[in-house]
Amino acid sequence: MSKKFHVYVISDSLGETGEMMARAAAEQFGGNEYEIKRYPFISNEEQIMEIVEEASAHRSIVLITTVLVNLRDKLREECSRYNIPMVDLLIPVMDVFSNFLGLEPAGEPGLVHRLDERYFKKVEAVEFAVKYDDGKDPRGVKKADLVLVGISRTSKTPLSMYLAHKNIKVANIPLVPEVPVPEELFEVPANRIIGLTTSPYKLNEIRLERLKALGLDSQASYADMGRILEELEYSEKLMKKLGCPVIDVSSRAVEETANIIVEIMKKNMLI
């Protein structure tokens, strides 16, 4: 039986071209199970580091469609660091155009979607997710279509970005026992809040990998099982108080969890 592989499609725009090419190529190798993960609107090096770090935990290939030189260089650097094969889908084509026309490319992402109304809505949703990520501004919870709550490393940010691609404005709030949640959260209807939880063992594994990637001591309280159980107990109590639906993300890919959320929102007539 063949071993499953993952294809990470990273783009500074929608990433649709990359996903289509990834699927077309993967299907030529029948009998090999694969999963495609698309990350649109990537705009900074920190996002790239997190995505490539995640890819390093799997048998992965990275495909990129970005016209921004600094992001392309960072992707090459990170993929090389983790020994992950990377394919730049745009550069060979742009080089041919550049040589033929005698011009340099504009280096501006998303031009093909500039006049697309849906594209603008996606951009607005992505900007919203970035602005109100990780509880940066609690006022966002009252403006959001959806609020995600959960302790650290329960996929709040990846889910926010993925749902933004579906034109859903998401704010997310980290749950920490020592830090009170913003009062605004209790003013949001329960059907517009989703709680995220996970297995303590899975969380321990993820947090240990995170500490290792950051070069920090694996004995730090962040990955301590006692601390993890304390955080999960606190989050469970708070979610019960909020009366919101709760999704266990332990064995689910971001896409699967996002689809569950979309179905909940449709059922509640929020989209």
Side-chain angles (χ1 to χ4, degrees):
M1 182 180 291
S2 62
K3 188 177 179 183
K4 180 178 180 179
F5 67 95
H6 296 70
V7 183
Y8 285 75
V9 178
I10 302 172
S11 177
D12 52 22
S13 186
L14 288 174
E16 292 172 327
T17 302
E19 181 175 358
M20 287 172 59
M21 293 184 71
R23 200 171 301 281
E27 287 296 328
Q28 293 298 313
F29 300 89
N32 287 274
E33 185 183 359
Y34 68 90
E35 180 180 343
I36 295 176
K37 296 188 175 185
R38 173 159 43 123
Y39 291 86
F41 305 114
I42 297 305
S43 59
N44 61 65
E45 295 186 357
E46 185 177 349
Q47 290 173 310
I48 287 170
M49 292 171 68
E50 289 185 0
I51 295 167
V52 177
E53 179 190 333
E54 179 189 332
S56 70
H58 307 287
R59 185 169 173 241
S60 302
I61 297 170
V62 170
L63 303 187
I64 72 168
T65 57
T66 174
V67 297
L68 299 174
V69 176
N70 62 315
L71 297 189
R72 195 162 60 237
D73 290 346
K74 187 62 178 176
L75 278 161
R76 284 201 187 97
E77 177 187 327
E78 290 299 301
C79 286
S80 175
R81 184 158 76 96
Y82 287 103
N83 199 28
I84 300 172
M86 187 197 89
V87 182
D88 189 327
L89 298 175
L90 282 183
I91 284 301
V93 179
M94 288 202 299
D95 282 349
V96 170
F97 273 67
S98 182
N99 291 334
F100 179 75
L101 298 171
L103 297 170
E104 290 299 316
E108 187 176 346
L111 291 179
V112 71
H113 299 285
R114 178 161 285 174
L115 301 179
D116 188 333
E117 184 179 349
R118 290 179 61 197
Y119 171 74
F120 281 115
K121 287 181 179 178
K122 284 183 176 65
V123 170
E124 186 180 358
V126 169
E127 289 176 345
F128 187 95
V130 171
K131 183 175 182 180
Y132 297 112
D133 179 46
D134 210 30
K136 289 176 187 171
D137 185 346
R139 293 173 298 180
V141 300
K142 296 175 74 173
K143 303 175 184 178
D145 299 321
L146 181 75
V147 181
L148 299 177
V149 297
I151 64 175
S152 174
R153 312 310 286 183
T154 50
S155 302
K156 296 185 300 297
T157 297
L159 277 168
S160 297
M161 297 301 293
Y162 189 93
L163 291 166
H165 179 61
K166 297 182 179 292
N167 299 347
I168 299 171
K169 294 180 180 178
V170 184
N172 73 74
I173 301 293
L175 301 182
V176 182
E178 296 80 10
V179 181
V181 295
E183 288 299 322
E184 289 89 343
L185 187 59
F186 296 99
E187 300 174 27
V188 177
N191 67 351
R192 282 178 47 214
I193 303 173
I194 296 285
L196 303 173
T197 190
T198 188
S199 153
Y201 303 103
K202 181 68 173 177
L203 191 57
N204 173 254
E205 180 184 327
I206 292 171
R207 289 188 175 184
L208 283 173
E209 284 299 317
R210 182 64 173 163
L211 289 173
K212 182 180 176 182
L214 294 173
L216 299 176
D217 185 356
S218 62
Q219 300 302 312
S221 62
Y222 179 69
D224 177 73
M225 184 59 77
R227 171 63 181 182
I228 287 173
L229 292 172
E230 178 189 352
E231 290 183 39
L232 286 170
E233 181 182 5
Y234 166 74
S235 67
E236 182 181 351
K237 288 180 180 177
L238 181 64
M239 290 170 194
K240 282 182 179 177
K241 185 176 180 181
L242 291 168
C244 64
V246 179
I247 301 173
D248 188 334
V249 302
S250 339
S251 57
R252 290 188 170 100
V254 168
E255 296 88 344
E256 184 182 355
T257 305
N259 288 336
I260 294 171
I261 291 172
V262 168
E263 289 305 310
I264 292 173
M265 294 184 75
K266 284 180 180 177
K267 183 179 178 181
N268 292 330
M269 301 181 69
L270 296 175
I271 54 176

